[in-house]
């Protein structure tokens, strides 16, 4: 009581870093993000909510660190071990775009905080800000909508309602297209 043993003192600053990689390639990471990746003992890469223009091997070579790919199953239902690791060592979780552009990453942030894991976020460019390259003003966009993959049995039309709602208010709609990076069959969906 009254003091920390050396193991606890070393781990008092352990952290989960949610690091945005931007939208392009390996060089779009911020300098702060790069420093934190190099400091981390473990590095994970989530690439199922967006596609980066390079692969995990290219990132590994650039960072000088092994980069483990984290698929949908890992992030949504199997990441507790990673969150626990981040209570004892620095862990970098790399995200295409910005960490808070996808609800998946917001959920990961909240789960980490609930477990008592310290979290730092490094923001970067995302599709939500890059939309300005179209020449359309960001303040003229209504709610964003995701257009999911259709199957023979499932063809939801709910996204039409949001587009129409935005149109009635004279607002643009950013439509995100669902990605199926790993889920190439109905069974894997």
């Amino acid at each position: 009581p009254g003091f920390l043993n050396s193991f606890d003192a070393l781990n008092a600053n352990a952290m989960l870093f949610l690091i945005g990689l931007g939208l392009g390639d390996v060089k779009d990471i911020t300098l702060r993000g790069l420093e934190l990746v190099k400091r981390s003992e473990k590095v994970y890469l989530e690439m199922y909510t967006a596609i980066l223009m390079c692969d995990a091997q290219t990132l590994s070579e650039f960072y000088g660190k092994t980069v483990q790919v984290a698929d949908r199953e890992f992030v949504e239902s199997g990441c507790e071990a990673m969150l626990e690791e981040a209570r004892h060592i620095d862990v970098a979780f790399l995200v295409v775009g910005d960490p808070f552009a996808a609800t998946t990453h917001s959920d990961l942030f909240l789960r980490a905080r609930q477990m008592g894991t310290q979290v730092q976020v490094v923001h970067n460019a995302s599709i939500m800000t890059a939309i300005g390259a179209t020449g359309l003003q960001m303040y003229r966009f209504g709610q964003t909508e995701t257009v999911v993959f259709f199957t023979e049995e499932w063809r939801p039309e709910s996204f039409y309602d949001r587009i129409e709602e935005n149109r009635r208010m004279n607002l643009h709609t950013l439509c995100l297209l669902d990605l199926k990076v790993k889920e190439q069959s109905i069974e894997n969906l």
Side-chain angles (χ1 to χ4, degrees):
F3 65 91
L4 296 174
N5 68 38
S6 60
F7 180 77
D8 289 337
L10 288 174
N11 296 324
N13 295 324
M15 186 81 58
L16 172 65
F17 302 111
L18 297 179
I19 301 172
L21 296 178
L23 298 172
D25 62 24
V26 67
K27 293 183 180 178
D28 283 349
I29 191 169
T30 65
L31 289 175
R32 182 167 163 247
L34 183 59
E35 288 171 357
L36 295 174
V37 167
K38 291 183 181 251
R39 168 180 151 180
S40 296
E41 290 186 45
K42 289 225 176 160
V43 181
Y44 295 90
L45 169 65
E46 183 278 300
M47 284 183 33
Y48 75 85
T49 57
I51 297 173
L52 191 63
M53 296 294 118
C54 62
D55 60 12
Q57 181 60 38
T58 303
L59 293 175
S60 291
E61 291 167 5
F62 185 76
Y63 301 147
K65 295 268 186 176
T66 300
V67 175
Q68 300 174 39
V69 175
D71 62 12
R72 180 184 300 265
E73 182 179 343
F74 175 87
V75 177
E76 293 181 356
S77 59
C79 67
E80 282 71 22
M82 177 190 70
L83 297 177
E84 183 59 34
E85 281 177 330
R87 295 179 71 184
H88 307 285
I89 62 171
D90 287 335
V91 174
F93 187 82
L94 310 178
V95 173
V96 179
D98 185 87
F100 288 138
T103 55
T104 298
H105 309 127
S106 298
D107 178 64
L108 182 65
F109 174 85
L110 292 173
R111 284 190 283 162
R113 298 292 297 265
Q114 287 171 346
M115 287 180 65
T117 302
Q118 294 186 66
V119 185
Q120 274 189 32
V121 177
V122 179
H123 297 282
N124 207 322
S126 77
I127 192 63
M128 306 301 275
T129 54
I131 195 66
T134 64
L136 301 173
Q137 297 299 315
M138 289 180 62
Y139 64 87
R140 298 290 306 149
F141 277 82
Q143 292 187 43
T144 300
E145 186 61 42
T146 299
V147 180
V148 299
F149 269 99
F150 286 1
T151 67
E152 291 297 321
E153 301 83 30
W154 190 56
R155 294 182 174 267
E157 298 178 358
S158 56
F159 64 91
Y160 288 122
D161 297 334
R162 179 75 63 220
I163 294 169
E164 179 58 26
E165 181 181 319
N166 286 341
R167 191 189 68 73
R168 277 193 304 259
M169 294 185 288
N170 200 27
L171 299 173
H172 309 297
T173 304
L174 173 60
C175 292
L176 305 175
L177 303 179
D178 197 10
L179 296 175
K180 299 296 179 209
V181 176
K182 183 177 176 184
E183 303 89 347
Q184 297 298 318
S185 69
I186 298 300
E187 295 78 33
N188 290 332
L189 291 175

